[in-house]
Amino acid sequence: MLAAVPDPSEIQFWSFLFQLVILIAVALLIGLIFERLHQSAILCFLLAGTLMGPAVFDVVRTESGIAILAELGVSLLLFAIGLEFSAKRLLRLGPIAVGGGSMQVVVTLALGAGIALAFGLGGRVALAVGATIALSSTACVLRMLTDRAVLDSFLGRGALGILLLQDVAVVPLVVLVTLLGGEGGLADLGIGFAKALALIGTMVAAFYLFSNQVLPRLLGSLNLTRNRELLILLAAVLAMGSAGIAHRLHISPALGAFIAGMMLAESPFATQIRSDISALRVLFLTLFFVSVGMLGDPQWIAQHAGSVALCVAAVVVGKATIISLIARLFGRPVRHAVACGVSLAQVGEFGIVIAGIGKASGLISEHLFL
């Protein structure tokens, strides 16, 4: 009797699953080594993606579907980060949060765009580059501050205030880069920006009403608060549903999930939902940074070592200097100001999302993206 011919879709699924397991296993192995060396787990995720990606051992292919899963993962990640945000919490952190954070985003964007213009990039591309480097990694910095038990210290509150303002700034920056990737003049750009902000405002109002009027009654009437599994499912539906709604409205799915998380942060159930999705957040955080690591090409980096080192040094030193000076302007001691600047001197996950939006629209070239 002849054996049944395997379904191609079934073969593709098991191939994808095998690559996913290998990727997570390698990240786990490298993570154990990094833990002994007291290094950030995010570094091990990036390294695992680079090693298993097409540029090195080619175990995981770019067309495998990992990138699509990671795109969903970043939406859940930003939903969880949005849950950490609270307007009341931002105001409690003092003037450095609103004033200092706003100054940091504007000055970094303007300076980054100016340097990009000086190197011959066009105006639109330069603005996209400035928007990309203006944001720091909320996930990395919060973990670092928590691990060192300084989140509630003078240093931690200053860094957290700037981070939360950066999270708010994601909304206009994503809209800006999305519109810069389109066609049309300055007037078309302004009209598009106004329309996008109107759509985002509608989403914010809808999620706010849902999280403060509908959700409390739903949770109360169905007793969902007593069932942890149902709350996890509800959080997943809200995160992925908001991403899907945003995609339908031609807005970044990650931005939609982030907005939903921010609105839920003001609800009385935010703490419980944040706790219940923590395990899912770790998994998707891993997949996101692993997928970013897959973009890395050690051979390309070696061939352009001088340019890469110059760019890294310019970003790190430039952002550290800007943030340190702003922290000093808001009365932080020199030691705390410099520590705050150094801790926020990197480019974060939101920057990667913004760069990806620019790359997808053709605004940012493959070479510049790498």
Side-chain angles (χ1 to χ4, degrees), residues 210 213-224 234:
F210 177 78
Q213 300 297 326
V214 179
L215 189 60
R217 297 176 183 176
L218 178 66
L219 294 177
S221 62
L222 299 180
N223 291 322
L224 291 182
L234 174 63

Side-chain angles (χ1 to χ4, degrees), residues 221-253:
S221 62
L222 299 180
N223 291 322
L224 291 182
T225 53
R226 300 178 184 177
N227 192 313
R228 185 169 181 266
E229 290 78 9
L230 292 180
L231 265 180
I232 293 174
L233 291 178
L234 174 63
V237 167
L238 291 175
M240 292 185 284
S242 57
I245 292 171
H247 178 70
R248 288 282 186 178
L249 295 175
H250 303 289
I251 302 173
S252 167

Side-chain angles (χ1 to χ4, degrees), residues 109-126:
L109 190 155
L111 190 58
I115 294 174
L117 281 172
F119 277 88
L121 297 179
R124 293 191 177 208
V125 180

Side-chain angles (χ1 to χ4, degrees), residues 49-350:
T50 301
L51 292 176
M52 295 295 102
V56 184
F57 295 118
D58 199 22
V59 175
V60 180
R61 308 292 179 85
T62 52
E63 66 273 10
S64 64
I66 299 291
I68 297 175
L69 187 61
E71 187 175 351
L72 177 62
V74 74
S75 296
L76 184 57
L77 170 63
L78 298 190
F79 174 77
I81 291 175
L83 283 172
E84 301 286 346
F85 175 83
S86 167
K88 296 177 182 177
R89 186 182 187 187
L90 179 65
L91 294 175
R92 283 199 304 265
L93 293 171
I96 194 173
V98 178
S102 301
M103 286 180 61
Q104 183 270 320
V105 171
V106 173
V107 172
T108 306
L109 190 155
L111 190 58
I115 294 174
L117 281 172
F119 277 88
L121 297 179
R124 293 191 177 208
V125 180
L127 284 174
V129 170
T132 298
I133 66 176
L135 306 175
S136 305
S137 175
T138 302
C140 292
V141 177
L142 284 183
R143 173 154 186 168
M144 178 189 68
L145 295 176
T146 303
D147 289 345
R148 287 164 173 75
V150 295
L151 185 59
D152 291 325
S153 68
F154 198 48
L155 162 64
R157 289 195 299 272
L160 181 60
I162 294 175
L163 280 174
L164 290 178
L165 195 283
Q166 287 182 358
D167 291 345
V168 177
V170 168
V171 176
L173 291 181
V174 167
V175 173
L176 174 65
V177 173
T178 301
L179 295 174
L180 288 173
E183 298 180 354
L186 188 61
D188 295 326
L189 187 65
I191 294 172
F193 194 81
K195 287 181 178 178
L197 288 182
L199 286 174
I200 290 173
T202 302
M203 282 189 65
V204 168
F207 280 121
Y208 180 81
L209 289 174
F210 177 78
S211 61
N212 287 273
Q213 300 297 326
V214 179
L215 189 60
R217 297 176 183 176
L218 178 66
L219 294 177
S221 62
L222 299 180
N223 291 322
L224 291 182
T225 53
R226 300 178 184 177
N227 192 313
R228 185 169 181 266
E229 290 78 9
L230 292 180
L231 265 180
I232 293 174
L233 291 178
L234 174 63
V237 167
L238 291 175
M240 292 185 284
S242 57
I245 292 171
H247 178 70
R248 288 282 186 178
L249 295 175
H250 303 289
I251 302 173
S252 167
L255 177 59
F258 176 68
I259 291 172
M262 281 201 306
M263 293 301 100
L264 279 175
E266 301 290 345
S267 74
F269 308 100
T271 301
Q272 188 168 356
I273 293 176
R274 190 185 304 122
S275 172
D276 288 337
I277 67 168
S278 59
L280 288 175
R281 177 180 175 176
V282 170
L283 176 61
F284 283 109
L285 177 72
T286 302
L287 288 176
F288 172 65
F289 282 105
V290 163
S291 69
V292 172
M294 288 172 59
L295 299 172
D297 185 346
Q299 184 178 359
W300 185 92
I301 293 174
Q303 291 173 350
H304 302 82
S307 299
V308 172
L310 180 62
C311 287
V312 171
V315 170
V316 172
V317 174
K319 288 189 72 172
T321 302
I322 291 170
I323 295 170
S324 298
L325 292 175
I326 290 174
R328 282 290 295 144
L329 184 63
F330 281 84
R332 268 18 186 202
V334 174
R335 180 167 59 92
H336 288 159
V338 173
C340 183
V342 171
S343 65
L344 299 175
Q346 72 321 106
V347 177
E349 55 277 351
F350 282 121

